[in-house]
């Protein structure tokens, strides 16, 4: 019965691990929309979550050894956890508004803001994480009581829990969250959690007398005599946590550079890393069937192999871009299964092996700490707390110090050094002296020699945006990729920032020497080709507004949009909100085209989350321009949701205008209609303009009617600086007629286009999961045709038609005729079209 019971508990703990990761992923995304997606906010959420697990384990460890039936206590905790999860979405909605009570100036005081985010995060996440963290010591106590080979069973349960976490990550990231709202996912899993807790209670009735005092009993395993374990083992567990988290974050940044930063990529990386930890824990469980000094030997070997394989991952790194190109299949990349396979293969090739050996380390430290199993719950709680504290410290150190200051590759090498110290620390406190010296020499030799064997990091190849531009590179020999990239472009700027890697490059093949600024390889702006969008998204809303004094631009990019906004005499202040400081630095290279926006007296640049700024800033705006990156990138979809647009509406002054960029390339038509429909649902008076044919749309909307005063707009365009900016050869707008010809749809046209479109909301950000699947659709022309077909009439630009002279009317008609491509004339111009013109 005891063996069957232990097996059933293992199955239950598998599901427990899966449920925990579903909760973690879902809560993290819920809180990101409330607290912001900046690096500090993410660090706060992760830190509170992990520390809650550690503290919960420590509390359970203190009391767990005294429970007569620890399995029953575990069952009650699972039921409590399930009930908390059921109300968690309501609690987040209830507590999150308290952030706004700090006052609108809170965004300007990081100490107040971050303290409030920490306190709210603790209020929301500590209750469930304490419950989750308490489970491991309780089940350790249970396994120590009933298992024949207690150390192996204890570490086996730990491995099973991690295996469940892998299942939870894949299920949540690839199927559950894409298929339904986050609240629905939490409710479904919470109910399953409660049912599981009830099953544990039933099972626990068969183990009422399972607990037997260990006093006077012969130990089940030979004690490991490690001196000063009160400090040594917790310190070693902490250092292992620091090193493993540093490696995970560095590897994640590498994978994102290669496969792109979609939500699927982050789920794949986490799944592979957890799979490695689970495999390592399984190997550790197997090794603990031997006792005594052999555990120290296994620990030393696992540490040495960790060091060697992490160094090996730096050798694998330069090979991954070529492997991606040769493996890329656009058809498979458009399916969740295809994405899962490719991303997991690349992640596994890079770090599955080192993650496996690192996964052995904490379980073996735990085995050493358990000793003769007198107080297993207490020792487990103590060491687990130390390990989670190390993970938090590693995440903070890596995200805020190491990667921004020294880069991704050096971060890996520093993590290896930390790992080596933890190995030497444990070996120096116990075991045979020969083993101690041998392991120390091997580790230091491997570490010292590894620095000289690490191949150079080719920044241009790694940050070339392979996943985004795979088709352009597919005919390039993978072995010659570096040479081909060097022939095509020159890398001028490279910075591993807190949230992304930012690069600026110069095109060598074009006479214009075009500059590109990119985030994780994805180009987000340029000095030539993107100019129509970068300029018009500033000019159109400012020209259509009666008194545009205060302007906000969300997303720095090249700085051109903010620079164009400064040209108007009426505009007094331009606020630029950018989440990544490296982007602010990189955009300085565009001073020749962005009107030296960094030094402009009208401009203030804030490095923070855009949503958080709109919510907490004391400023109100006449114009808000949202120009984020593509919605397939994880987190960006939250800048295309109904709730985001409502934040924008609240931050606008009366008569204010909100402008939103939207791509038509590589987007599913239904997703485009959803964004337009969601936008118009908040801003009923919405115009749709085309800045670049078959590429970019601009949504210009307001809660109030936009009355287009033809004479006022014409006068404003005639300002010397404004007319020169619009007349840029890459934009080519010389008259008001050519400007207005960019407007394709007016408010009356949109219901026909979006009447059955899904609303894109925070609770179900389906754009985050559907947009990555359409990255290689090639739907540019079809989507532009869809927009053209939505036009009801060319000249329903209400507010100025009656005041037009016949000459203006004819000039406007000609402007439309020349701007609209002939292939769309039949849809757009209708009966007005002819072969000879309008």
């Amino acid at each position: 019965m005891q063996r069957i019971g232990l097996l059933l508990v293992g199955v239950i703990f598998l599901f427990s691990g899966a449920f925990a990761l579903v909760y973690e992923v879902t809560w993290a995304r819920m809180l990101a929309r409330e607290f912001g997606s900046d690096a500090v906010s993410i660090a706060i959420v992760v830190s509170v979550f992990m520390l809650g697990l550690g503290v919960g384990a420590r509390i359970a460890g203190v009391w767990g050894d005294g429970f007569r039936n620890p399995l029953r206590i575990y069952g009650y905790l699972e039921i409590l956890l399930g009930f908390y999860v059921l109300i968690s979405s309501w609690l987040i909605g209830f507590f999150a508004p308290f952030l706004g009570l700090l006052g609108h100036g809170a965004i300007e005081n990081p100490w107040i803001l971050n303290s409030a985010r920490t306190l709210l995060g603790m209020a929301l996440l500590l209750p469930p994480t304490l419950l989750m963290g308490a489970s491991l010591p309780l089940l350790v106590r249970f396994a120590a009581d009933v298992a024949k080979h207690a150390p192996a069973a204890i570490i086996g349960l730990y491995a099973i829990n991690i295996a469940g976490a892998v299942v939870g990550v894949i299920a949540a990231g690839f199927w559950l969250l894409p298929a339904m709202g986050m609240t629905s996912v939490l409710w479904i899993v919470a109910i399953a959690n409660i049912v599981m807790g009830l099953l544990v209670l039933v099972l626990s009735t068969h183990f009422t007398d399972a607990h037997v005092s260990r006093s006077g009993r012969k130990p089940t395993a030979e004690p490991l005599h490690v001196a000063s374990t009160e400090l040594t083992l917790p310190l070693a567990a902490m250092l292992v946590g620091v090193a493993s988290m540093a490696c995970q974050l560095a590897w994640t940044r590498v994978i994102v550079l290669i496969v792109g930063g979609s939500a699927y990529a982050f789920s794949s990386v986490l799944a592979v890393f957890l799979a490695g930890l689970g495999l390592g824990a399984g190997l550790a469980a197997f090794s603990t069937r031997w006792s005594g000094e052999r555990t120290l030997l296994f620990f030393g070997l696992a540490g040495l192999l960790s060091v060697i394989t992490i160094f090996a991952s730096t050798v694998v790194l330069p090979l991954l871009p070529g492997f991606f190109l040769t493996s890329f299949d656009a058809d498979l990349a458009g399916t969740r299964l295809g994405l899962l396979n490719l991303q997991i293969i690349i992640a596994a090739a890079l770090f599955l092996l080192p993650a496996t050996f690192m996964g052995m380390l904490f379980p073996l430290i735990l085995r050493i700490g358990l000793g003769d199993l007198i107080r297993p719950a207490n020792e487990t709680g103590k060491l687990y707390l130390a390990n989670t504290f190390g993970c938090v410290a590693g995440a903070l150190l890596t995200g805020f110090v190491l990667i921004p200051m020294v880069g991704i590759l050096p971060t890996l090498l520093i993590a290896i050094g930390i790992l080596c110290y933890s190995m030497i620390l444990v070996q120096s406190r116990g075991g045979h002296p020969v083993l101690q010296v041998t392991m120390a020499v091997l580790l230091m030799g491997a570490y010292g020699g590894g620095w000289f064997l690490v191949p150079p990091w080719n920044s241009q190849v790694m940050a070339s945006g392979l996943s985004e531009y795979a088709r352009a590179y597919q005919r390039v020999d993978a072995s010659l990729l570096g040479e081909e990239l060097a022939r095509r472009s020159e890398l001028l700027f490279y910075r591993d920032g807190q949230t992304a890697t930012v690069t600026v490059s110069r095109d060598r093949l074009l006479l214009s020497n075009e500059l590109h600024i990119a985030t994780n390889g994805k180009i987000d702006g340029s000095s030539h080709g993107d100019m129509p969008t970068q300029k018009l998204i500033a000019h159109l809303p400012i020209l259509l507004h009666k008194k545009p004094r205060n302007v906000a631009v969300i997303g720095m990019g090249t700085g051109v949009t903010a620079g164009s906004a400064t040209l108007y005499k009426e505009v007094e202040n331009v606020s630029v909100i950018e989440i990544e400081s490296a982007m602010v630095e990189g955009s300085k290279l565009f001073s020749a085209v962005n009107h030296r926006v960094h030094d402009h007296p009208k401009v203030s640049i804030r490095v923070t989350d855009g949503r958080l700024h709109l919510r907490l800033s004391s400023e109100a705006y006449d114009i808000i321009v949202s120009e984020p990156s593509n919605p397939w990138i994880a987190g960006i979809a939250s800048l295309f949701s109904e709730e985001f647009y409502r934040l924008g509406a609240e931050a606008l002054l009366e008569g204010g205008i909100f402008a939103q960029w939207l791509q038509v390339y590589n987007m599913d038509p239904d997703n485009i209609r959803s964004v337009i429909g969601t936008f118009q649902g908040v801003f009923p008076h919405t115009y749709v303009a085309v800045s670049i044919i078959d590429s970019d749309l601009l949504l210009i909307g307001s809660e109030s009617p936009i009355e287009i005063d033809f004479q006022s707009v014409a006068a404003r365009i005639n300002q010397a600086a404004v007319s020169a900016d619009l007349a840029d050869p890459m934009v080519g707008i010389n008259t008001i007629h050519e400007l207005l010809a960019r407007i394709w749809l007016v408010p009356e046209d949109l219901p026909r286009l979006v009447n059955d479109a899904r609303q894109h909301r925070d609770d179900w950000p389906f754009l985050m999961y559907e947009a990555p699947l359409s990255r290689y659709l090639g739907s540019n022309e079809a989507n532009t045709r869809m927009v053209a077909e939505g036009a009801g009439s060319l000249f329903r630009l209400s507010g100025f038609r009656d005041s037009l002279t016949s000459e203006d009317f004819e000039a406007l008609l000609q402007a439309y005729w020349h701007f609209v491509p002939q292939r769309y004339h039949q849809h757009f111009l209708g009966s007005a079209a002819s072969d000879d013109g309008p």
Side-chain angles (χ1 to χ4, degrees):
M1 179 61 195
Q2 289 182 341
R3 186 173 183 179
I4 295 175
L6 191 61
L7 179 62
L8 290 174
V9 168
V11 173
I12 288 169
F13 211 34
L14 177 80
F15 281 99
S16 177
F19 295 163
L21 261 293
V22 173
Y23 300 150
E24 180 181 354
V25 170
T26 308
W27 284 332
R29 289 178 183 167
M30 281 183 161
L31 291 175
R33 75 193 186 205
E34 303 293 343
F35 290 180
S37 297
D38 57 297
V40 176
S41 174
I42 293 171
I44 288 171
V45 172
V46 171
S47 299
V48 171
F49 195 96
M50 298 191 74
L51 282 178
L53 294 177
V55 173
R58 185 68 186 116
I59 294 172
V62 171
W63 297 96
D65 289 309
F67 290 131
R68 181 176 181 83
N69 192 333
L71 192 60
R72 177 175 297 169
I73 303 301
Y74 169 67
Y76 285 131
L77 294 184
E78 289 290 351
I79 292 171
L80 283 175
L81 175 61
F83 278 112
Y84 183 90
V85 175
L86 282 176
I87 64 170
S88 62
S89 57
W90 175 82
L91 286 174
I92 290 174
F94 178 78
F95 278 103
F98 281 92
L99 203 60
L101 297 180
L102 296 173
H104 289 300
I107 192 73
E108 307 298 338
N109 190 320
W111 291 103
I112 294 177
L113 175 62
N114 294 330
S115 297
R117 291 196 287 193
T118 301
L119 290 174
L120 284 173
M122 292 173 67
L124 291 165
L125 293 180
L126 277 184
T129 53
L130 289 173
L131 295 173
M132 288 188 279
S135 61
L136 181 61
L138 292 175
L139 292 184
V140 163
R141 175 73 264 178
F142 171 77
D145 290 334
V146 304
K148 182 179 179 181
H149 298 285
I154 289 169
I155 297 175
L157 283 174
Y158 177 76
I160 287 170
N161 191 245
I162 296 177
V166 176
V167 175
V169 168
I170 294 176
F174 280 84
W175 281 280
L176 291 177
L177 292 174
M180 65 187 79
M182 289 186 278
T183 299
S184 298
V185 170
L186 289 177
W187 285 353
I188 290 172
V189 179
I191 291 171
N193 211 143
I194 293 170
V195 172
M196 186 180 74
L198 293 172
L199 292 176
V200 172
L201 291 181
V202 173
L203 182 63
S204 70
T205 60
H206 298 283
F207 294 94
T208 304
D209 299 317
H211 179 71
V212 179
S213 175
R214 290 281 171 182
S215 61
R217 288 187 55 178
K218 182 180 179 181
T220 59
E222 179 185 337
L224 297 173
H225 300 290
V226 180
S228 304
T229 56
E230 286 298 318
L231 293 177
T232 300
L233 291 184
L235 180 58
M238 184 189 73
L239 292 176
V240 167
V242 171
S244 63
M245 187 57 68
C247 288
Q248 180 194 348
L249 293 179
W251 285 325
T252 299
R253 294 287 291 269
V254 170
I255 295 298
V256 165
L257 287 175
I258 295 169
V259 304
S262 71
Y264 297 116
F266 286 101
S267 295
S268 299
V269 170
L270 182 55
V272 172
F273 188 77
L274 289 172
L277 296 185
L279 287 171
L283 291 174
F286 178 77
S287 71
T288 55
R289 290 180 178 273
W290 290 280
S291 57
E293 301 298 338
R294 291 190 180 183
T295 300
L296 284 173
L297 176 61
F298 275 110
F299 180 81
L301 289 175
L304 180 60
L305 290 172
S306 297
V307 170
I308 293 172
T309 52
I310 296 172
F311 272 122
S313 74
T314 66
V315 177
V316 173
L317 258 172
L319 306 177
L320 292 180
F323 176 77
F324 177 85
L325 282 183
T326 56
S327 305
F328 176 78
D329 185 319
D331 293 330
L332 287 177
T335 66
R336 286 191 181 91
L337 188 59
L339 275 177
L340 178 65
N341 289 339
L342 179 59
Q343 293 173 354
I344 281 184
I345 288 172
I346 290 176
L350 178 62
F351 60 78
L352 180 60
L353 203 56
T356 298
F357 291 122
M358 281 196 296
M360 297 180 66
L361 300 179
F362 174 71
L364 290 173
I365 290 174
L366 179 59
R367 166 64 189 96
I368 296 170
L370 290 174
D372 55 7
L373 301 175
I374 294 298
R375 299 191 66 198
N378 180 67
E379 195 65 30
T380 299
K382 180 171 58 178
L383 293 175
Y384 191 70
L385 174 61
N387 186 248
T388 54
F389 181 81
C391 289
V392 171
L396 297 176
L397 178 67
T398 304
F400 291 105
V401 180
L402 293 180
I403 289 180
M405 291 185 64
V406 302
I408 296 173
L409 188 57
T411 295
L412 275 175
L413 300 178
I414 292 171
I416 296 173
I418 295 172
L419 203 58
C420 285
Y421 181 70
S422 70
M423 301 300 101
I424 295 173
L425 186 67
V426 173
Q427 292 296 331
S428 67
R429 299 298 184 182
H432 196 279
V434 174
L435 178 63
Q436 297 172 13
V437 174
T438 302
M439 285 299 172
V441 171
L442 288 174
L443 284 167
M444 296 309 296
Y447 184 59
W451 276 84
F452 297 99
L453 298 175
V454 172
W457 175 279
N458 190 325
S459 301
Q460 191 167 22
V461 172
M462 297 305 299
S464 58
L466 289 177
S467 67
E468 186 71 7
Y469 312 107
R471 286 175 170 164
Y473 295 132
Q474 274 193 303
R475 294 185 179 180
V476 178
D477 188 320
S479 63
L480 301 176
L481 182 59
E483 297 177 15
E484 178 62 20
L485 287 171
R487 185 184 71 84
R488 295 184 183 189
S489 62
E490 176 188 4
L491 188 64
L492 303 177
F493 176 89
Y494 178 99
R495 179 74 54 81
D496 291 316
Q498 290 182 350
T499 62
T501 296
V502 177
T503 56
V504 177
S505 59
R506 176 185 287 115
D507 196 312
R508 295 181 184 271
L509 301 183
L510 298 176
L511 294 177
S512 62
N513 289 320
E514 182 173 14
L515 300 181
H516 299 101
I517 192 166
T519 305
N520 292 329
K522 163 68 182 66
I523 294 174
D524 282 328
S526 67
S527 61
H528 287 76
D530 293 302
M531 278 299 181
T533 296
Q534 294 170 159
K535 290 180 180 290
L536 284 176
I537 200 169
H539 286 295
L540 267 174
I542 292 176
L543 288 168
L544 297 181
H545 195 281
K546 290 182 179 180
K547 295 180 179 180
R549 291 186 292 267
N550 298 308
V551 179
V553 179
I554 299 175
M556 184 81 192
T558 59
V560 169
T561 299
S564 293
T566 64
L567 301 178
Y568 289 85
K569 297 176 182 177
E570 300 88 342
V571 172
E572 299 171 0
N573 301 293
V574 178
S575 298
V576 180
I577 302 99
E578 170 57 51
I579 198 169
E580 177 52 66
S581 60
M583 180 67 73
V584 177
E585 290 300 311
S587 61
K588 291 180 178 179
L589 276 69
F590 291 81
S591 59
V593 293
N594 66 19
H595 305 287
R596 303 189 67 84
V597 68
H598 296 79
D599 304 318
H600 202 286
K602 291 183 180 180
V603 176
S604 59
I605 300 174
R606 286 83 181 272
V607 180
T608 186
D609 177 79
R611 287 181 59 130
L612 199 66
H613 178 84
L614 292 183
R615 184 177 172 188
L616 297 181
S617 175
S618 58
E619 298 180 54
Y621 302 100
D622 299 297
I623 307 288
I624 296 176
V625 174
S626 180
E627 201 174 10
S629 193
N630 301 60
W632 63 264
I633 297 173
I636 299 297
S638 66
L639 299 181
F640 292 87
S641 70
E642 177 183 331
E643 290 81 358
F644 171 64
Y645 296 139
R646 294 203 182 281
L647 284 175
E650 292 170 4
L652 285 171
L653 296 166
E654 185 177 353
I657 294 177
F658 195 103
Q660 172 76 63
W661 167 82
L662 175 63
Q663 69 184 80
V664 298
Y665 54 90
N666 298 333
M667 283 277 283
D668 184 272
D670 286 341
N671 289 157
I672 291 177
R673 294 193 310 112
S674 289
V675 173
I676 296 175
T678 302
F679 186 88
Q680 194 199 30
V682 177
F683 303 106
H685 305 280
T686 293
Y687 294 81
V688 178
V690 176
S691 55
I692 302 177
I693 300 292
D694 296 339
S695 180
D696 296 344
L697 299 180
L698 308 179
L699 310 182
I700 312 295
S702 177
E703 292 184 295
S704 308
I706 299 176
E707 297 179 1
I708 304 177
D709 185 331
F710 190 87
Q711 301 303 325
S712 174
V713 173
R716 203 173 284 167
I717 284 181
N718 287 332
Q719 295 180 27
V722 174
S723 61
D725 202 48
L726 287 169
D728 183 308
M730 295 306 300
V731 182
I733 292 178
N734 297 287
T735 67
I736 184 176
H737 315 96
E738 292 175 344
L739 176 79
L740 295 176
R742 268 57 177 178
I743 298 176
W744 283 25
L745 301 180
V746 298
E748 296 85 350
D749 296 329
L750 295 189
R752 190 167 50 254
L753 178 67
V754 303
N755 63 350
D756 60 344
R758 294 172 293 170
Q759 294 295 295
H760 188 243
R761 295 190 173 95
D762 280 348
D763 190 61
W764 186 15
F766 55 82
L767 198 61
M768 182 189 302
Y769 303 102
E770 295 181 8
L773 303 179
S774 58
R775 289 175 65 192
Y776 309 106
L777 274 183
S779 55
N780 312 26
E781 187 171 332
N783 288 332
T784 305
R785 183 178 294 108
M786 176 185 70
V787 174
E789 290 172 346
S793 170
L794 274 179
F795 306 111
R796 293 168 65 185
L797 300 176
S798 59
F800 72 87
R801 180 183 176 184
D802 294 339
S803 64
L804 287 180
T805 65
S806 59
E807 290 81 5
D808 284 328
F809 188 87
E810 178 65 24
L812 186 57
L813 187 60
Q814 289 290 343
Y816 270 105
W817 179 255
H818 290 299
F819 180 68
V820 178
Q822 187 173 357
R823 60 183 177 273
Y824 303 130
H825 282 186
Q826 60 178 326
H827 306 294
F828 196 87
L829 298 174
S831 60
S834 70
D835 291 339
D836 299 325

